[in-house]
Amino acid sequence: MLLAGLIGMVSLLSPAPAPAAPAAPPAAASDLRRPLHVPKLKRGARCPLSPSRIWVPETQQRLNGRGPAFLVGVGHADPATINMIFSYPDEKGWYGQKTPWAISRDYEGPLLVRGARIDRRGKVSFAYGYGQHLRELYWEAGADQGRPPDPGYRFLASETLVRSRGCYAFQVDGTSFSTVIVMRVRG
């Protein structure tokens, strides 16, 4: 069941025509938009990686973060790592990797995801599908792209885009929580 849901998420990110301009986040996203509380690192400081645990032993797939929202590791990536090794820059110079999210069924509300590079200057962008470059991701309450639905988690497909490797933090805000997941980007 889990594998079928992840295969469904992968198909959501296959190349498709990109919209002419990214749609503005709905007004409901404003209710979740709290100040970013990501770590600030001094140059040369070690990246404070979030906890990571093996979720699917057969594939060594990982859940990164403390919950209730987790960034799902893909492609046999190391703990708390987004691996861009097979990524090529798009026409704007950004490297992308699928970064699906698993949300505990204990939380069924809306989600807002934003991010920042924390080890030096740099930006992070997001996409729901190929060709997008968004500042943030927003999903309505109850959103679930897992097929068939998993009894323990909702699945939400996305892509993270960066210009270079480094240390990045992702803030996930819901109506009852705000959590930060720190990942290293390699490639």
Side-chain angles (χ1 to χ4, degrees):
M1 174 165 37
L2 170 65
L3 185 56
L6 292 176
I7 290 170
M9 285 193 315
V10 169
S11 67
L12 290 172
L13 291 174
S14 61
S30 297
D31 295 339
L32 301 178
R33 197 171 286 110
R34 301 173 179 101
L36 284 178
H37 54 88
V38 299
K40 300 205 184 330
L41 298 183
K42 292 182 180 179
R43 189 168 278 243
R46 184 177 208 140
C47 187
L49 300 175
S50 289
S52 179
R53 63 182 166 92
I54 292 179
W55 181 32
V56 182
E58 299 81 22
T59 64
Q60 297 295 298
Q61 190 167 44
R62 298 185 155 284
L63 289 180
N64 299 289
R66 290 182 171 83
F70 301 91
L71 201 152
V72 179
V74 298
H76 302 287
D78 290 336
T81 300
I82 298 172
N83 193 349
M84 300 278 186
I85 194 164
F86 297 111
S87 179
Y88 294 95
D90 66 11
E91 66 282 352
K92 295 182 179 182
W94 293 81
Y95 295 85
Q97 176 58 271
K98 295 173 192 157
T99 46
W101 297 88
I103 315 304
S104 172
R105 291 263 180 218
D106 294 339
Y107 178 75
E108 288 288 335
L111 288 168
L112 179 68
V113 176
R114 295 171 291 158
R117 184 167 183 182
I118 62 173
D119 60 340
R120 64 175 56 179
R121 292 178 56 117
K123 295 185 179 183
V124 60
S125 289
F126 300 99
Y128 298 108
Y130 183 78
Q132 294 177 322
H133 290 83
L134 308 171
R135 288 187 189 173
E136 59 190 34
L137 298 168
Y138 175 80
W139 289 280
E140 298 283 345
D144 186 358
Q145 298 166 330
R147 298 293 178 254
D150 184 271
Y153 295 92
R154 296 189 284 150
F155 294 98
L156 302 170
S158 74
E159 182 177 10
T160 296
L161 300 112
V162 299
R163 290 191 183 270
S164 62
R165 60 185 164 204
C167 185
Y168 292 82
F170 301 87
Q171 182 169 314
V172 185
D173 293 306
T175 56
S176 61
F177 73 93
S178 183
T179 190
V180 173
I181 301 169
V182 178
M183 304 283 287
R184 125 185 84 222
V185 173
R186 290 190 171 159

